[in-house]
Every structure is written in structure tokens, then in C-alpha cells.
Amino acid sequence: MSTALAQQHAGNVLLAVTLSPTSAAHADPDALVVHPLVARLGQVGALQDVQLLAVPRESWPTVQGAVVDALHALPGVLRVDVQDPPRLRAKRGADEL
């Protein structure tokens, strides 16, 4: 995970929104901003059908239902996945190989 994305994750809950190939949101991805607290971070890597959204972590408990329901109600939205916070991976020692 890039450093910038990890910093985004510290203060925000990230949502990955998967779009159908025929979704109008491909031409206007800002249409996914369904709430004043939602910010669109952009496309996920080279995946043209997945957009990344952010909601401030402190507001998430109060707006979670409204945001997820509004995204699911948009035509062409296949999935809305709340991304888990990044975890550090432990390196294995030479004796563990």
C-alpha cells in the first residue's frame, strides 16, 4: 500500500465501489459522491470499474447506513466494500524458512 493511501486510511474509512461495465458512473465518477462527507479518491489502480471513496472516520458511525444505501441505490453499482485498515506484515526470520 502506498504511503499516501495509508495516510488516507488513517483518518478515513475507504470504500471500494465496483461498477457494472454499462454504468453511467464510468463517464461521470463524481456521481458516486452521494453525501457531503464522501470524497472520491479515484480509480483503484488499473481497474476501470472500481472507484475508491473516503468518508471521515469520526463521521462514519452516523452516516454509514445512509452512504452505503445511497451507493447501492445508484444504477450500475454492483458492490460496495468497506476496506479494512492496512496491517503490517511481520518478516520471517532465516530459521523459519
Side-chain angles (χ1 to χ4, degrees):
M1 176 176 286
S2 73
T3 304
L5 191 54
Q7 290 171 347
Q8 282 285 345
H9 215 301
N12 296 299
V13 171
L14 300 183
L15 305 170
V17 179
T18 305
L19 305 171
S20 71
T22 59
S23 174
H26 286 291
D28 181 22
D30 288 330
L32 296 172
V33 179
V34 294
H35 191 279
L37 294 174
V38 174
R40 189 176 70 82
L41 300 179
Q43 183 175 304
V44 176
L47 301 174
Q48 294 179 357
D49 60 342
V50 183
Q51 293 287 325
L52 195 62
L53 306 176
V55 178
R57 191 169 294 283
E58 65 274 0
S59 302
W60 180 244
T62 58
V63 300
Q64 175 180 0
V67 168
V68 172
D69 289 345
L71 286 169
H72 279 296
L74 290 175
V77 171
L78 299 177
R79 295 177 56 152
V80 177
D81 297 308
V82 178
Q83 301 299 294
D84 292 328
R87 293 177 283 152
L88 293 176
R89 297 188 308 182
K91 288 189 176 188
R92 293 158 93 180
D95 58 330
E96 294 180 30
L97 296 177

